[in-house]
Amino acid sequence: MPSKTLVVALMADALIGTALTCLGLPGFQRLSWSQTLTIFSYAMISCLVLNDALKVMMIKWRVPAAMAY
């Protein structure tokens, strides 16, 4: 279980990053909410689905004794 400090830091990072993305920075064009949602969706799918599936396959391939438990 992650510590409360880590959870707060990750949430703050996500909120500040989203605010900067939608509000924009000097010299950069801001993104719309739909573009921001698309980026979040892509990140969730790639990290939570593809990455985890790859990790499970690699563990089964490289650590066959771990599957006996």
Side-chain angles (χ1 to χ4, degrees):
M1 196 76 174
S3 68
K4 291 179 183 178
T5 306
L6 178 62
V7 172
V8 169
L10 290 173
M11 290 176 62
D13 179 50
L15 291 173
I16 292 170
T18 301
L20 290 175
T21 300
C22 293
L23 298 175
L25 289 169
F28 292 100
Q29 182 178 357
R30 67 180 190 90
L31 297 179
S32 67
W33 281 104
S34 63
Q35 290 171 322
T36 304
L37 182 61
T38 301
I39 293 168
F40 274 130
S41 300
Y42 172 78
M44 285 181 15
I45 289 170
S46 66
C47 290
L48 298 177
V49 177
L50 298 176
N51 190 27
D52 284 350
L54 182 63
K55 283 192 287 188
V56 169
M57 289 179 2
M58 293 294 288
I59 289 171
K60 287 181 181 179
W61 176 55
R62 298 299 292 169
V63 189
M67 300 313 294
Y69 296 105

